Amino acid sequence: MTVSWEELLASIASCERCRLGASRRNVVPGEGSVSAKLMLIGEGPGANEDEQGRPFVGAAGELLTRMIEAIGMRREDCYIANVVKCRPPRNRAPEADEAEACLPYLRAQVALVKPMVIVLLGATAVRHTLGEGFRVTRDRGRFTERAGVFMMPTFHPAALLRDESKKRPAWEDFKAVRDRLYLLSQSQSV
Ligand code: URA
């Protein structure tokens, strides 16, 4: 099913498909360029995001923004979204049925943006996009192509804040993303 951005954002704004709709302050649909070459997908809104209705605006978001800038891009040129659009209570991971109810929105966002590369930030994003067989620690840094889109698992920025030793590998992953975007842009322009 193809929907317009207006239809999609209106459905998300009024969504009551799962229990998270009852406890949210604001929906957090996602933000950024609708023609982004790079999309980044996290788990779900935390307290700051729920407050502001924007993804990745807390400490993890600041780190994410710095990583995007470190590969020579601007945050506003990317599209940033989450598996679930409403905050799970006490920042727990989304339950399987909550993610299931919300995933059609994420799929519609990917279909509208048509990114070249998607960075999957942490286990929840990896599990609900690539599938249960994937593990961040084992599969990070490697691209998996799905329908012409290159998907790269890496650590969630909140994990980098908890464990400094993850920063180096995550930086390597972001550099690989930068290089892949460069190659893909080159091959598109010939
Ligand atoms: N963590 C996420 O996974 N998403 C956000 O938007 C913020 C923190």
Side-chain angles (χ1 to χ4, degrees):
M1 189 183 61
T2 355
V3 290
S4 67
W5 275 110
E6 291 71 27
E7 288 167 326
L8 178 60
L9 294 175
S11 316
I12 296 175
S14 59
C15 187
E16 299 290 345
R17 284 187 192 178
C18 82
R19 64 190 80 79
L20 299 182
S23 56
R24 70 173 177 239
R25 292 184 73 164
N26 288 294
V27 289
V28 183
E31 69 179 19
S33 165
V34 294
S35 53
K37 295 188 179 355
L38 175 61
M39 185 161 174
L40 301 107
I41 300 175
E43 177 174 294
N48 295 302
E49 291 76 19
D50 181 49
E51 182 88 25
Q52 295 185 41
R54 297 180 53 214
F56 282 100
V57 290
E62 275 174 33
L63 178 56
L64 181 63
T65 304
R66 286 207 302 276
M67 294 174 82
I68 292 168
E69 289 170 354
I71 58 165
M73 299 183 73
R74 295 183 313 174
R75 177 178 161 124
E76 55 269 35
D77 295 330
C78 305
Y79 194 87
I80 303 178
N82 282 304
V83 170
V84 292
K85 313 304 189 204
C86 298
R87 182 190 182 199
R90 298 173 307 283
N91 296 342
R92 63 161 171 74
E95 309 273 359
D97 62 328
E98 295 160 354
E100 209 48 52
C102 213
L103 277 170
Y105 297 136
L106 184 63
R107 290 195 196 101
Q109 288 172 309
V110 173
L112 286 165
V113 174
K114 301 189 193 68
M116 288 175 166
V117 173
I118 300 179
V119 175
L120 304 166
L121 301 163
T124 298
V126 170
R127 179 177 322 121
H128 292 292
T129 54
L130 289 175
E132 289 290 344
F134 285 78
R135 294 285 173 272
V136 180
T137 34
R138 189 191 60 203
D139 300 315
R140 54 148 284 275
R142 282 206 296 264
F143 288 103
T144 298
E145 188 185 346
R146 293 276 167 88
V149 184
F150 291 88
M151 323 252 287
M152 155 81 83
T154 191
F155 296 119
H156 192 286
L160 307 183
L161 292 173
R162 286 192 300 266
D163 179 357
E164 283 275 321
S165 74
K166 292 193 164 91
K167 281 191 175 167
R168 168 67 51 187
W171 172 232
E172 295 302 324
D173 298 346
F174 269 72
K175 283 194 289 184
V177 165
R178 174 194 64 194
D179 295 348
R180 181 61 61 106
L181 282 168
Y182 177 74
L183 281 178
L184 291 169
S185 308
Q186 292 289 102
S187 61
Q188 253 198 3
S189 61
V190 289

